Amino acid sequence: MKKLLLIIVLLFAALPVQGAFAAYTAPADITVYVDLGAQYSLSNNFVISGSGKYTKIVTYTAAMKNVLTVGDGTQSYNLPLTFTNSYPGTSRFIALTLLEGASLDSVSVVAPTSGTLVKITNFTTTMPTPVPTATPTPTPTPTPIATPKPTPTATPEPTPSPTPTPALKPTLDVVIAPEKVGLGKEFTADVSLKNVKNIYAEDFEVKYDKEHLQYLGFEEVTGYKVYNNPVDKNGAVRFVVASQGEEYGINEDTVVVKLKFKAKAKGTAIVDATKARIADTEEEYDLEKDNCLEDSVIIEATDVNKSGTYTLVDLAIDARYFKYFAPDVDPVKYNAQQAGDEYVNDDDLLFIVDQILNNPDYLPNT
């Protein structure tokens, strides 16, 4: 798993908007792009001032290659903020996705040499054109004058036998990226097809551990559409998926759908691809049971006082530290941040109450 370091702290600064020092209010959910310029692409500390909500921050190289992504676009966070890119010297552009009504006041960068805060005025709502990287002209190497050598008599070698091509073993796999998740947290399981050639349609079933997991639905992948109405039947869900065009024929390990789950009980949960049929443009094939794979995830209780179960004490602790910056609430003793942004607020308290009410070991006062 790739893990990126993102440090977000609350600060205030001033950002010019398209050449003027005026706040920009998002008329709808929209992404704003900031060009740091070549002179500040070595910087790794950024300050964004404003109000309202944002859902994602992405930094790009000059060639518009993704360097760092923060947020998946489904959860919102509060402005203002400052963040540190854990890959300094690689970011030319910053993309900030604002929710409707959010106000962007300023974007500033800490200059890499002087350490002063510099306002960047060049931003737009249109994705920037990648900046081409200059290719240095190679210095020609003198060609040495070869000394003639006598031509040796070639010794005939035996012709090797061709290496046999192994038969394909079509496999339907399930991959859960995190090894562990916190109780009450959401995650996805990728369903992928591999070891196939020119496959354009799939019909398969996935079963999940309904004692530990809550099925939340699925997310389609570009080029692959779910054409049936998947119904959860006591922990089993069937999907009929088809490619949308020749370019989406499957010839390598390819994710065809993403399943969304919520961890609802401590323990080890399994998501299992139980059976599958696939088809090219001439015939269809049933996958062998051993080639329908599964994956698992460990669900841990991440309650506030680290007791292993959610109780009214957890609610009391976060209530005591309401409005605190969560990392400042004695992280050795407490997991103060339970939901939402980095501050202890209603999001955290609502989440804790939900976990208490779903804790079978927590009995109400009788």
Side-chain angles (χ1 to χ4, degrees):
M1 294 184 293
K2 297 180 179 177
K3 297 183 177 179
L4 300 176
L5 171 63
L6 174 70
I7 305 172
I8 305 180
V9 295
L10 179 64
L11 286 177
F12 293 90
L15 165 68
V17 176
Q18 296 181 337
F21 292 92
Y24 172 77
T25 300
D29 295 358
I30 194 168
T31 299
V32 176
Y33 299 89
V34 181
D35 184 356
L36 302 178
Q39 69 270 39
Y40 297 123
S41 64
L42 295 178
S43 300
N44 65 331
N45 293 305
F46 309 97
V47 178
I48 300 177
S49 180
S51 60
K53 300 281 188 178
Y54 70 96
T55 59
K56 185 188 290 187
I57 297 174
V58 184
T59 65
Y60 298 94
T61 64
M64 289 302 292
K65 299 294 184 181
N66 185 304
V67 176
L68 174 67
T69 299
V70 180
D72 58 5
T74 62
Q75 292 186 335
S76 62
Y77 308 93
N78 292 327
L79 290 172
L81 64 99
T82 182
F83 69 94
T84 299
N85 181 7
S86 57
Y87 296 92
T90 59
S91 298
R92 172 66 181 269
F93 300 102
I94 297 176
L96 176 66
T97 301
L98 302 174
L99 292 184
E100 181 179 355
S103 178
L104 180 60
D105 297 332
S106 62
V107 174
S108 300
V109 58
V110 178
T113 55
S114 65
T116 58
L117 202 62
V118 179
K119 299 185 181 78
I120 304 299
T121 63
N122 185 14
F123 85 89
T124 179
T125 56
T126 302
M127 178 174 287
T129 302
V131 180
T133 303
T135 303
T137 303
T139 303
T141 302
T143 303
I145 300 174
T147 302
K149 295 183 179 180
T151 303
T153 303
T155 302
E157 297 181 358
T159 303
S161 302
T163 303
T165 302
L168 293 175
K169 292 184 178 180
T171 301
L172 188 67
D173 198 5
V174 175
V175 178
I176 302 173
E179 296 179 359
K180 299 179 181 180
V181 297
L183 186 63
K185 302 298 184 181
E186 297 180 7
F187 66 94
T188 60
D190 292 348
V191 180
S192 62
L193 188 63
K194 56 187 178 182
N195 299 332
V196 295
K197 184 177 182 181
N198 295 329
I199 296 299
Y200 288 91
E202 305 83 42
D203 181 359
F204 57 87
E205 179 187 74
V206 175
K207 289 185 177 180
Y208 68 92
D209 183 352
K210 58 187 181 68
E211 297 299 324
H212 293 88
L213 300 175
Q214 177 185 352
Y215 173 64
L216 301 178
F218 65 91
E219 177 183 341
E220 291 182 327
V221 179
T222 301
Y224 305 95
K225 185 173 180 61
V226 177
Y227 280 98
N228 69 322
N229 180 27
V231 177
D232 185 356
K233 296 183 177 180
N234 197 30
V237 188
R238 180 182 180 183
F239 294 89
V240 179
V241 181
S243 302
Q244 294 186 302
E246 181 180 1
E247 65 270 30
Y248 294 108
I250 301 177
N251 293 284
E252 58 185 4
D253 191 347
T254 301
V255 177
V256 295
V257 70
K258 295 175 177 287
L259 309 185
K260 299 188 288 186
F261 295 99
K262 181 178 181 179
K264 70 176 186 179
K266 292 187 297 181
T268 300
I270 295 175
V271 180
D272 184 11
T274 55
K275 55 186 175 182
R277 175 174 294 175
I278 60 177
D280 56 24
T281 57
E282 296 182 356
E283 54 185 325
E284 58 187 36
Y285 315 87
D286 287 339
L287 271 61
E288 296 181 7
K289 185 174 180 60
D290 289 344
N291 291 333
C292 294
L293 307 182
E294 65 181 34
D295 201 359
S296 63
V297 63
I298 298 173
I299 301 172
E300 299 178 320
T302 53
D303 58 302
V304 179
N305 65 352
K306 303 183 181 181
S307 67
T309 184
Y310 283 91
T311 68
L312 203 60
V313 174
D314 298 297
L315 182 62
I317 294 170
D318 265 22
R320 161 66 178 81
Y321 292 104
F322 197 79
K323 295 184 180 180
Y324 272 59
F325 185 53
D328 291 341
V329 183
D330 195 350
V332 175
K333 292 178 61 178
Y334 303 129
N335 292 316
Q337 183 181 357
Q338 294 285 310
D341 60 19
E342 293 77 16
Y343 289 84
V344 180
N345 54 33
D346 285 338
D347 291 339
D348 301 276
L349 272 61
L350 287 169
F351 177 82
I352 294 169
V353 171
D354 183 60
Q355 298 310 307
I356 292 173
L357 297 178
N358 286 284
N359 179 7
D361 298 326
Y362 181 82
L363 301 178
N365 185 357
T366 57

